[in-house]
Amino acid sequence: MRDFPTSEARLRGFREALRGWFLRERRDMPWRRERSVYRTVVSEFMLQQTQVDTVRPYFENWVAKWPDFATLAAADEADVLRAWEGLGYYSRARNLHALAKEIAARGGAVPADADGWRAFRGVGAYTAAAIASIAQGVPAAVTDGNVVRILARLSADETEFRDGGAAVKRFAPEAEKLLDPARPGDHNEAMMELGATMCTKRNPRCLLCPVAAFCDGRALGEGVAALPRFAARATKKVDVERAFARFADGSVLLAKPHASARRLRELFELPLWSDVFPDASPRAADLLLEGKRGIASESIRERIYAGAPPKDFAEKKTLSGAALFRVPAGELEKITLSGPHRKWLRAIRGR
Ligand code: SF4
């Protein structure tokens, strides 16, 4: 592949075109209105694997409730998880909480560079570079899927990568070369913005793109949308059966997964059918809801069946190691549920 860009003059031209466009066109986001290290850290944790529009209300609610590291550090974990509910990947909330506690314990002192941020659990190379560059002006380039896509297209790189990690490894040095050392935060945000609004996965808007003059991929016409190339990945199909068992007083059986499922610790979910009714299969006629979701390389189909709650129910450990609880109707909106379980529970109870 060709290295990009090929001369100092082109490099300067690229940075100026990108930043000029970004300053004119950037989208309004709550974390851009007022900058601080804390607000940048919170937004970057929330934006890991989650869309900007989903994050907006969570971010505003979060910083109103806990405006700095000290207040977040003093918060109860249950409150922290509750404020995160619906964003998914709860380990991010726990890691953010732990980070705030550590910074509070250091009297508010924060790391001075990307390597320092990486020492915190849950902060990878991308998040560390984003925090250090955006909030602290440290010259560290971000390389994520957006940046990889832009760089593969700018350089018309037709390599087939094994996976995203291999592509990030390939393009991280290019991203560092491209970085504007005088304004690393603007540059990184501009790259993310370009990837989100112009150089999008399926329909790159090359005619409007501010760096089109620097892009070799344009010569491929519509074919540029196929870059970067990735080897096809096999998806594993998984079927899960769950139970919705409601008592006469409206209380519902819910489970907390086995303690080894760290990611789900302290979160409730609809129990596995086999945990509630180990000796009976669900009947097709009792199907209440079917949900599909993808996690990593798994395509999961979850079916939720109605079942009469056991008469002599007592809170207990189950076959899978999960713990079953009878949660009173009045508590159902207060507890924290994992992933899509809140949506499912509301849909079933509202029937
Ligand atoms: Fe992406 Fe098209 Fe811009 Fe090239 S010209 S960077 S392919 S949007």
Side-chain angles (χ1 to χ4, degrees):
M1 92 154 229
R2 283 158 288 194
D3 280 345
F4 176 88
T6 47
S7 71
E8 269 304 313
R10 268 174 76 78
L11 184 56
R12 256 199 322 277
F14 176 89
R15 289 171 181 162
E16 278 165 18
L18 178 70
R19 182 164 177 269
W21 165 79
F22 176 63
L23 296 182
R24 282 190 314 274
E25 305 288 338
R26 64 183 153 193
R27 293 169 295 171
D28 176 43
M29 294 178 191
W31 45 93
R32 285 180 177 165
R33 283 179 214 144
E34 185 193 326
R35 298 280 197 196
S36 73
V37 173
Y38 174 73
R39 290 168 65 89
T40 306
V41 169
V42 172
S43 63
E44 288 302 328
F45 266 75
M46 288 187 171
L47 288 165
Q48 290 170 2
Q49 330 202 29
T50 307
Q51 303 278 335
V52 166
D53 285 339
T54 307
V55 167
R56 283 177 205 273
Y58 283 91
F59 176 84
E60 287 180 327
N61 177 43
W62 191 279
V63 295
K65 207 167 174 160
W66 302 300
D68 49 33
F69 289 115
T71 48
L72 178 58
D76 278 346
E77 179 168 279
D79 284 345
V80 169
L81 294 178
R82 185 82 176 99
W84 198 272
E85 189 185 290
L87 275 179
Y89 300 100
Y90 283 86
S91 57
R92 292 181 295 169
R94 292 197 181 94
N95 290 336
L96 176 56
H97 194 203
L99 181 153
K101 285 182 183 170
E102 202 170 324
I103 287 176
R106 296 175 187 174
V110 297
D113 56 22
D115 283 345
W117 286 106
R118 281 205 73 172
F120 290 105
R121 186 190 277 270
V123 179
Y126 175 87
T127 304
I131 296 169
S133 63
I134 295 169
Q136 300 172 298
V138 174
V142 295
T143 315
D144 69 344
N146 275 329
V147 174
V148 160
R149 189 165 62 250
I150 296 166
L151 294 179
R153 291 173 179 177
L154 285 172
S155 58
D157 188 328
E158 305 213 38
T159 307
E160 183 178 276
F161 295 99
R162 192 180 65 246
D163 54 27
V168 165
K169 205 167 164 194
R170 163 67 189 94
F171 287 111
E174 306 301 326
E176 290 292 350
K177 277 190 228 160
L178 217 52
L179 182 71
D180 182 347
R183 300 174 192 88
D186 281 354
H187 178 96
N188 281 335
E189 280 202 282
M191 288 292 276
M192 299 177 206
E193 192 87 346
L194 190 74
T197 63
M198 287 279 157
C199 200
T200 56
K201 252 186 199 165
R202 287 189 185 82
N203 298 305
R205 302 165 72 195
C206 302
L207 288 175
L208 299 171
C209 176
V211 294
F214 303 87
C215 182
D216 287 348
R218 277 193 79 191
L220 300 171
E222 288 183 3
V224 76
L227 301 182
R229 293 192 197 286
F230 290 102
R233 207 168 49 152
T235 310
K236 192 171 142 208
K237 293 201 166 154
V238 179
D239 280 311
V240 178
E241 291 169 336
R242 296 187 181 275
F244 175 75
R246 178 160 47 189
F247 294 84
D249 64 357
S251 56
V252 174
L253 270 192
L254 292 178
K256 278 187 182 177
H258 187 274
S260 64
R262 235 187 127 264
R263 181 172 73 76
L264 299 173
R265 205 176 65 214
E266 295 308 314
L267 305 181
F268 286 95
E269 56 181 38
L270 287 158
L272 294 175
W273 179 271
S274 54
D275 276 349
V276 185
F277 307 106
D279 304 319
S281 299
R283 295 185 317 162
D286 292 330
L287 180 66
L288 293 171
L289 188 148
E290 183 171 319
K292 282 195 181 142
R293 54 180 171 152
I295 296 182
S297 59
E298 290 187 343
S299 162
I300 307 173
R301 183 173 62 175
E302 309 220 29
R303 290 187 174 132
I304 302 161
Y305 296 89
K311 287 200 180 60
D312 52 348
F313 174 75
E315 289 177 2
K316 61 175 180 186
K317 288 270 190 254
T318 62
L319 283 177
S320 73
L324 283 183
F325 296 90
R326 177 174 176 168
V327 180
E331 295 291 313
L332 289 172
E333 285 298 319
K334 296 182 195 153
I335 55 168
T336 306
L337 286 140
S338 81
H341 290 254
R342 165 82 57 213
K343 193 175 72 187
W344 293 341
L345 194 57
R346 280 187 183 152
I348 294 172
R349 293 178 75 222
R351 285 157 67 108

